[in-house]
Amino acid sequence: MKTAEIKRRWLDYFESKGHTVVPSAPLISQDPTLMFVVAGMVPFIPYMTGVLPAPYSRATSVQKCVRTLDIDEVGKTTRHGTFFQMNGNFSFGDYFKKEAIGFAWELLTNPVEQGGLGFDPKRLWATVYQDDDEAIGYWLEQTSIPAERIQRRGMRDNYWSTGQRGPAGPCSEIYFDRGPEYGAEGGPEADEDRYIEIWNLVFMQYERADGGTKDHFEILGELPKKNIDTGMGLERVAFLLQGVENIYEIDQVRPLIDAAAKLSGKRYGAVEADDVRMRVIADHIRSALMLMSDGVTPSNEGRGYILRRLLRRSVRSLRLLGVQRPCFEELFTISKNAMVEAYPELEESFERVLRNALAEEAGFTRTLDTGLQVLSEAISQSAKELSGEVAFQLHDTFGFPIDLTVEIAEENGLGVDRAKFDLLMQEQKQRAKSDAKAKKVGGAGLQVYSEFRALGETRFLGYQSLETSGSVLGLLHEGESVSALSQGQLGEVFLDQTTLYAESGGQSADAGWIRGDGFELEVLDVQKPVKGLFAHRVRVTRGQVVVGAAAQTQVDADWRLGAAQAHSATHVVHAALRQVLGPEALQSGSFNKPGYMRLDFSWTAALSEETKSEIEEVSNLAIRADLAVSAQFMSLPEAKKWGAVALFGETYDEEVRVVQVGGPWSRELCGGTHVSRSSQIGLVSVTSESSVGSGSRRIEALVGLDALHSLSAERDLVRRLSVNLKAPVAEVEARIMSSLEELRSAQRRIAELESAQALALAPALVTTATKIAGLNVVSQELTNPISTDQLRALTLEVARQLPDCVVILGASLEKPVVMVSSSQKAQQQGIRAGELAKVASAVLGGGGGGKADFAQGGGVDSAKMSAALHAAVSAIG
């Protein structure tokens, strides 16, 4: 049965059961917390949570989805794919467990000639959440499945949520037994390769909180309505019905595997490593086709980066199969032809999709070719093993895949230091979390920068001078190479030499100008998108700049002085830290710009005020000592022998620059700009010290005039406080503490009076009690000013004064709040406070609950308080 036919049967079946057929939403999620639609129910979340009224009580869809968290598992298992289709049927307060189970069993087991999918009922298993006896009852009532083929499982396996705040609930999954040749007996608990999950019935009735883990998270309360959300993996069902071994061999994907086999001259099924690569190509090309059809384009950020990764992994896998020539046109066309029956709209967008895919393929091919040249040279210079640093440079600078590096090295009788490569990759990922570089350089593809880098390394002359003359080698506008930039445009300029410092080593980029005959450019930022290449982000303030023009760079002298002060201050504070705390207080990161510095360092505990003061004092004594600041280049072994500190997370060339302050007192490997004497720093004023993670602290300080201005402002503040408090400066702190204590005392007296005033309402409320089911029931909305604590105390006080009662009090505070107290007699009659609180909260658009004797609830709609109290009272009897 073709995949498109399974999709058609699904929609036809549920349409016949009164469901509205809803077309698939685009892959780009409208939820700002998601890049892509990752599950079939995502478009329906607003209806499930009650944020929007559902336009239908029942719906069905076949939703396009993309998940890339398990991208490294693609091709290796039977069930991991980046793009997949999720068949779903949904109920918004209409039907629940009984009907959902009945629908699923009927569609799965009905004969093909009757519109069903024809699964043998003897090969189907079910799992339920461990406490869901109700679901087990319906399985036994609605289907022919025996009890021994129903397994209970915990929250990790049978409780569904999105992983963040939103709808959640227990679920029941349906598995198909592939037979003893695929694994051990014993159902899904024994072997999920033999027993394949094909359908998940989620009984969506709760809202979960953010945080927690997959098998432990907070439940905020019940949803306004009990909903059904089911998902049947279309690809999984297709590979079972088509009699193939995995999702990559179904009719919508297998043609791509066959094409990869033909292109490479290798037989699918002969070598497992080659099979994995063919499956990766098939999966990623199809995913890229669907993403690009929905408007995603390759880029270095967000969704575009995910797409770019898919495309590049495809090229990589083709290379590993021995395919050297471009073949995206053939592969994308094959994928489109395989998918177009299910998605006719692919024809309309295909020309655009193919154009973008071919451009990406060409760009990455150039990157690979450049990387091969570098790799060939490195191999010729290696004896037994290619260094991890070289492998990382190939990956980081040229986008060269590590597994291709490994394969080529092995062909030449070499190993690769993977441990070092993996360490460098991990360090890069950590830096990337706080590094906004990708957002600053205009979003051009790596291959564009690599082409400019191939023209030569940018010579940095900024250590010796603030000005130099050079030549414009290239220009970028909106990520595209152009021949000219005109007045008012933003773009990037590449020069053969520059005096403008590019952001690196924790130091922000220089400000300044680039000028030439007939043009002036304001420099907004300078970055190194690839090693050795300076990209000047500019705004054209006058004239037009063209490729090949002579240009003069000029650094803003005040900016450079401020940056140099801040960077030298960072070295001074680092040395002070190590002097005060010990050599283990090693810098792990930094950032500095004119007037400001921050330094992250290894330390496990917060610094005391005395320690912070001591560090600040040591730093400023070093500044006052007018220590010499110098820099010199030497080999890395020489620098280490000299005692220079190499910073965690940084990689270094064989020749390094060592900056020292006061000789051996501070020696660090550093490429930044610095003052020539420590006294030029001026002043360091520590402003904060905080934690930035386990075993890491951060110290921040103002530098130079910014530090002076800050201290002057604090001095003026103290003077004003002295005047207003009519106290000498030395007594200001004591006077403020005394005033604060008086204020706290007054606030306590006010709270006591308000509580007494609230409790004084109790006798009047007692008189409003009415008899319902033999109980004294008090239900009242309070309009007087009252706090949550006072409302709770008042509810309990009324209950204390009134025997055999149920007390329900509500008030609109920041949000509507309801308190319920239920006496022992009421509880014996089955009237529990927690249940009444849930009833009232549901009307208010929220959730609630608690113990049998006392509970609290609330919501968002204060206008419905009267209706909420009425609903709770109605639930009593």
Side-chain angles (χ1 to χ4, degrees):
M1 187 182 296
K2 294 179 67 175
T3 307
E5 174 64 13
I6 299 171
K7 173 182 176 181
R8 185 190 65 76
R9 285 174 178 252
W10 173 278
L11 295 176
D12 287 349
Y13 174 81
F14 281 102
E15 187 175 31
S16 74
K17 300 297 183 181
H19 292 66
T20 299
V21 175
V22 180
S24 173
L27 283 166
I28 300 174
S29 175
Q30 299 303 306
D31 183 337
T33 65
L34 298 171
M35 281 198 294
F36 301 115
V37 172
V38 296
M41 51 75 68
V42 169
F44 301 99
I45 287 178
Y47 310 143
M48 294 178 177
T49 57
V51 173
L52 294 176
Y56 24 66
S57 59
R58 303 180 177 194
T60 185
S61 69
V62 177
Q63 175 62 47
K64 300 178 291 186
C65 305
V66 165
R67 292 182 194 167
T68 57
L69 290 177
D70 295 323
I71 192 170
D72 291 328
E73 294 301 311
V74 169
K76 300 176 183 178
T77 73
T78 60
R79 56 186 183 273
H80 284 97
T82 51
F83 171 83
F84 59 98
Q85 300 157 87
M86 190 58 69
N87 296 5
N89 61 286
F90 308 91
S91 166
F92 308 104
D94 187 358
Y95 61 82
F96 203 48
K97 295 181 183 179
K98 177 180 178 180
E99 294 84 353
I101 290 170
F103 288 152
W105 188 260
E106 184 177 41
L107 177 58
L108 284 174
T109 61
N110 268 4
V112 171
E113 55 270 23
Q114 294 179 21
L117 298 178
F119 278 95
D120 181 355
K122 295 180 181 179
R123 300 179 69 177
L124 297 178
W125 288 65
T127 64
V128 299
Y129 182 54
Q130 56 193 7
D131 299 330
D132 199 351
D133 294 331
E134 181 184 24
I136 289 180
Y138 286 134
W139 273 112
L140 297 174
E141 172 189 317
Q142 295 288 307
T143 77
S144 61
I145 196 168
E148 59 265 27
R149 292 213 308 271
I150 304 173
Q151 296 183 330
R152 297 177 185 264
R153 306 186 81 175
M155 181 172 275
R156 175 171 292 274
D157 296 299
N158 276 71
Y159 206 99
W160 193 92
S161 79
T162 61
Q164 55 194 2
R165 180 164 181 160
C171 59
S172 183
E173 296 173 330
I174 305 172
Y175 288 76
F176 177 79
D177 181 6
R178 304 174 74 195
E181 64 270 32
Y182 290 99
E185 296 277 351
E189 278 283 79
D191 190 334
E192 286 199 13
D193 285 325
R194 170 176 171 174
Y195 300 87
I196 295 289
E197 178 197 342
I198 57 175
W199 200 334
N200 188 9
L201 314 176
V202 181
F203 310 128
M204 196 77 69
Q205 60 189 107
Y206 302 107
E207 182 180 16
R208 64 156 287 174
D210 279 317
T213 62
K214 183 175 178 62
D215 54 2
H216 182 74
F217 46 81
E218 179 185 3
I219 297 295
L220 298 176
E222 289 196 345
L223 296 173
K225 296 179 180 179
K226 292 182 178 181
N227 304 311
I228 285 295
D229 155 36
T230 86
M232 185 181 84
L234 182 54
E235 284 80 1
R236 293 191 186 187
V237 170
F239 95 74
L240 294 172
L241 291 181
Q242 292 174 17
V244 295
E245 291 297 312
N246 52 61
I247 62 172
Y248 312 104
E249 297 176 13
I250 66 173
D251 60 303
Q252 289 185 343
V253 188
R254 180 59 189 256
L256 285 164
I257 290 180
D258 294 337
K262 182 179 179 181
L263 287 165
S264 64
K266 299 177 184 289
R267 183 174 64 84
Y268 181 70
V271 179
E272 177 61 20
D274 289 340
D275 290 351
V276 170
R277 290 163 186 159
M278 292 181 198
R279 293 194 288 261
V280 167
I281 293 164
D283 172 87
H284 287 8
I285 292 294
R286 186 172 78 134
S287 298
L289 169 72
M290 302 307 292
L291 284 169
M292 296 170 81
S293 296
D294 274 358
V296 183
T297 56
S299 71
N300 288 333
E301 293 183 308
R303 300 181 181 96
Y305 175 76
I306 299 297
L307 171 60
R308 172 162 283 164
R309 187 181 182 198
L310 293 170
L311 294 170
R312 291 186 169 187
R313 280 171 60 92
S314 300
V315 174
R316 174 200 68 188
S317 296
L318 285 162
R319 286 291 182 100
L320 291 174
L321 287 171
V323 181
Q324 301 294 320
R325 69 174 181 84
C327 49
F328 269 13
E329 181 169 3
E330 181 177 348
L331 292 173
F332 271 78
T333 301
I334 289 171
S335 186
K336 183 260 295 181
N337 291 340
M339 296 295 294
V340 74
E341 181 180 354
Y343 299 98
E345 63 271 22
L346 292 176
E347 287 284 9
E348 300 174 11
S349 60
F350 187 67
E351 182 177 346
R352 169 183 57 81
V353 168
L354 186 59
R355 183 170 60 249
N356 288 337
L358 294 179
E360 187 70 8
E361 181 184 39
F364 188 51
T365 298
R366 288 194 296 270
T367 294
L368 282 174
D369 291 338
T370 305
L372 281 170
Q373 296 175 10
V374 175
L375 178 57
S376 177
E377 182 179 352
I379 287 173
S380 68
Q381 298 175 0
S382 301
K384 296 182 180 180
E385 185 177 69
L386 197 68
S387 74
E389 288 85 351
V390 169
F392 179 78
Q393 179 196 9
L394 285 164
H395 170 87
D396 192 46
T397 303
F398 302 102
F400 206 75
I402 181 61
D403 42 3
L404 192 54
T405 299
V406 169
E407 182 164 298
I408 294 173
E410 288 176 349
E411 290 172 357
N412 289 271
L414 298 175
V416 176
D417 186 353
R418 283 300 302 269
K420 181 63 175 179
F421 173 84
D422 292 339
L423 175 63
L424 293 172
M425 283 293 294
Q426 185 61 35
E427 291 173 359
Q428 183 196 56
K429 290 178 181 178
Q430 292 294 359
R431 291 195 301 272
K433 291 180 179 179
S434 57
D435 184 12
K437 180 189 296 185
K439 297 180 180 179
K440 295 182 177 180
V441 295
L446 179 63
Q447 70 276 4
V448 177
Y449 292 120
S450 298
E451 289 169 4
F452 287 121
R453 178 63 180 83
L455 298 176
E457 184 173 358
T458 308
R459 294 182 62 209
F460 177 64
L461 305 178
Y463 295 136
Q464 300 83 21
S465 173
L466 298 182
E467 298 183 21
T468 193
S469 296
S471 177
V472 177
L473 300 181
L475 300 168
L476 285 181
H477 178 60
E478 296 183 350
E480 300 292 335
S481 180
V482 295
S483 59
L485 290 173
S486 301
Q487 184 168 334
Q489 286 188 313
L490 297 174
E492 293 172 73
V493 178
F494 303 91
L495 306 170
D496 58 346
Q497 55 189 30
T498 183
T499 53
L500 291 150
Y501 184 81
E503 180 180 344
S504 58
Q507 180 177 329
S508 63
D510 275 334
W513 301 269
I514 300 174
R515 297 186 176 97
D517 186 14
F519 66 87
E520 180 177 86
L521 316 176
E522 178 188 4
V523 177
L524 307 175
D525 189 24
V526 189
Q527 294 289 323
K528 295 179 183 178
V530 297
K531 187 176 180 181
L533 180 70
F534 284 51
H536 303 78
R537 180 75 171 164
V538 301
R539 176 187 291 110
V540 183
T541 56
R542 178 173 60 85
Q544 182 185 67
V545 58
V546 299
V547 174
Q552 184 178 52
T553 62
Q554 180 177 349
V555 178
D556 183 318
D558 289 338
W559 181 279
R560 170 64 70 81
L561 174 59
Q565 288 176 314
H567 203 153
S568 295
T570 305
H571 285 226
V572 167
V573 172
H574 187 206
L577 276 167
R578 289 163 60 79
Q579 178 177 317
V580 174
L581 301 177
E584 63 271 26
L586 186 65
Q587 177 179 331
S588 58
S590 67
F591 176 73
N592 50 77
K593 63 180 181 179
Y596 169 84
M597 59 143 289
R598 74 166 184 253
L599 186 147
D600 298 343
F601 60 100
S602 303
W603 202 249
T604 57
L607 304 185
S608 66
E609 291 299 322
E610 293 77 10
T611 301
K612 286 188 285 186
S613 295
E614 185 179 358
I615 292 166
E616 187 177 66
E617 183 175 356
V618 170
S619 299
N620 283 294
L621 285 174
I623 292 170
R624 189 182 71 174
D626 195 30
L627 303 174
V629 181
S630 62
Q632 55 186 298
F633 288 90
M634 61 184 69
S635 70
L636 184 58
E638 288 174 331
K640 291 180 177 178
K641 186 177 180 179
W642 208 31
V645 176
L647 304 184
F648 173 80
E650 294 290 334
T651 56
Y652 299 97
D653 295 329
E654 276 304 304
E655 185 178 65
V656 294
R657 183 170 179 259
V658 179
V659 174
Q660 60 177 356
V661 181
W665 185 66
S666 170
R667 281 181 179 152
E668 296 187 19
L669 304 185
C670 178
T673 61
H674 291 271
V675 297
S676 58
R677 310 285 303 188
S678 64
S679 61
Q680 293 174 304
I681 296 172
L683 179 67
V684 169
S685 174
V686 175
T687 56
S688 72
E689 188 272 336
S690 59
S691 171
V692 288
S694 178
S696 185
R697 308 291 301 178
R698 169 172 293 173
I699 194 164
E700 296 180 85
L702 296 176
V703 180
L705 283 176
D706 287 76
L708 178 62
H709 293 157
S710 175
L711 293 173
S712 296
E714 291 180 6
R715 178 194 60 196
D716 292 342
L717 174 62
V718 172
R719 285 176 177 171
R720 291 195 299 274
L721 289 171
S722 174
V723 171
N724 291 330
L725 293 170
K726 296 181 174 59
V729 169
E731 297 178 12
V732 165
E733 181 181 10
R735 184 66 61 85
I736 290 174
M737 296 306 294
S738 176
S739 298
L740 286 174
E741 181 54 40
E742 290 176 4
L743 177 61
R744 283 192 287 267
S745 178
Q747 288 173 335
R748 284 194 296 270
R749 291 195 299 272
I750 291 170
E752 291 169 358
L753 290 170
E754 288 178 343
S755 294
Q757 184 180 21
L759 291 176
L761 299 173
L765 289 170
V766 168
T767 64
T768 67
T770 59
K771 286 286 186 179
I772 301 177
L775 299 170
N776 294 307
V777 177
V778 173
S779 174
Q780 190 74 37
E781 178 180 1
L782 302 178
T783 57
N784 294 330
I786 196 166
S787 69
T788 302
D789 289 341
Q790 292 163 6
L791 184 63
R792 181 181 297 106
L794 180 58
T795 303
L796 294 172
E797 178 60 21
V798 173
R800 187 186 67 80
Q801 296 183 20
L802 195 62
D804 302 333
C805 66
V806 175
V807 181
I808 309 169
L809 300 182
S812 294
L813 307 175
E814 291 183 2
K815 290 184 178 180
V817 178
V818 174
M819 303 282 182
V820 183
S821 179
S822 184
S823 69
Q824 187 172 1
K825 180 178 179 181
Q827 295 171 49
Q828 291 171 351
Q829 294 179 208
I831 301 168
R832 295 173 173 79
E835 295 301 321
L836 296 181
K838 288 181 180 179
V839 170
S841 299
V843 177
L844 295 171
K851 298 179 180 179
D853 61 339
F854 185 84
Q856 175 180 331
V860 295
D861 192 348
S862 297
K864 293 183 178 179
M865 179 60 77
S866 177
L869 297 178
H870 179 73
V873 172
S874 298
I876 295 174

